[in-house]
Amino acid sequence: MRLTAQEVYNRLVNDDKICEAKGQIRFYLGDVDIIVKQRDVVGNIMQEWLEGWLKKNGIDYAPNPNSQMPPDFYLNPDNVKEDLLEVKAFNYKATPGFDIADFNAYQSELIEKPYMLHSKYLIFGYVMQDDGYVVIKKMWLKNVWEICRPMANWPLNLQVKDKVVHKIRPAKWYSKGRTKFLPFEKIEDFISAMDETVYKNPKTREESGEWLSKFLKSYKKQYNKKLKIPRWSEIEGKYVL
């Protein structure tokens, strides 16, 4: 059976009522059986759980052999350029702490695989209770640009260590609250931020002169559509308050 990412989301939320379910993480070793109460293990386990859910429900999929790049699953195993699904989870009582991708690898991959941009992000917001029970408080299905934002001094929210850019980090897309930065509204603005980040990042600056043109050429070849990308300086005010 083939399902799109939207159909997977709808089935989980509406049919399986996953936001009303409770679960536990148990670990057996020898004759000792414990309930795991460390929240930081839930994210990886949710990905494995979803794979189990896909198998149990007879839904076609293929895992991505490259675990470092989205997506986690191809929902159309016969065509790995469409119906791409990435799974993320985070502690709903805190801000999203998962990584979206390694920036240096991601910007390179987008030129070769522009369809990665259209991976759907299935996101679980969970709470782990004191007794170890895990409850899914909310779920989302998002595009990558809808869960990304700028940060101070950078067009993207990044993990930067010793002036070296590492991971792309998510926005708190579901609550504006007291924020100075808003999630991107559309794919064109996200690509503008990517292009500017390629330029500002010392590791990729040499590629910045051709990065955008290469990406646009690749995207047009894939979708027969020419994107019109604004300059970051023209749109920054929409996202940096």
Side-chain angles (χ1 to χ4, degrees), residues 69 102-108 154 158-167 194-209 211:
M69 283 287 112
D102 177 87
F103 174 78
N104 297 300
Y106 189 68
Q107 60 85 24
S108 178
W154 288 93
L158 302 166
Q159 178 193 55
V160 182
K161 296 181 179 178
D162 297 325
K163 299 182 180 180
V164 177
V165 172
H166 292 279
K167 308 291 186 179
M194 283 289 302
D195 182 46
E196 183 70 10
T197 305
V198 169
Y199 172 73
K200 291 192 67 173
N201 177 21
K203 190 172 182 178
T204 56
R205 179 166 294 176
E206 290 185 3
E207 304 167 39
S208 64
W211 184 86

Side-chain angles (χ1 to χ4, degrees), residues 85-151:
L85 185 65
E86 178 79 355
V87 182
K88 298 294 183 184
F90 71 98
N91 177 8
Y92 191 69
K93 290 184 177 180
T95 56
F98 55 81
D99 296 328
I100 291 174
D102 177 87
F103 174 78
N104 297 300
Y106 189 68
Q107 60 85 24
S108 178
E109 288 279 306
L110 283 184
I111 294 175
E112 300 297 324
K113 303 174 182 178
Y115 49 86
M116 276 176 46
L117 271 174
H118 294 286
S119 299
K120 294 292 186 179
Y121 284 70
L122 182 66
I123 307 170
F124 297 83
Y126 67 86
V127 171
M128 179 177 277
Q129 300 173 348
D130 292 339
D131 57 6
Y133 274 104
V134 176
V135 179
I136 306 301
K137 298 296 290 184
K138 198 163 183 178
M139 283 181 60
W140 301 265
L141 188 68
K142 292 288 186 181
N143 295 303
V144 64
W145 56 88
E146 296 175 313
I147 58 172
C148 288
R149 64 165 176 86
M151 65 181 284

Side-chain angles (χ1 to χ4, degrees), residues 10 25 37 76 93 113 120 133 142 145 173 185-187 208 212 225:
N10 291 344
I25 303 169
K37 299 179 182 180
N76 182 353
K93 290 184 177 180
K113 303 174 182 178
K120 294 292 186 179
Y133 274 104
K142 292 288 186 181
W145 56 88
W173 64 89
E185 298 174 355
K186 53 186 179 179
I187 187 173
S208 64
L212 183 58
K225 179 181 179 181

Side-chain angles (χ1 to χ4, degrees), residues 174-187:
Y174 50 91
S175 174
K176 292 183 179 180
R178 296 181 179 178
T179 181
K180 295 181 180 179
F181 309 100
L182 298 178
F184 298 110
E185 298 174 355
K186 53 186 179 179
I187 187 173

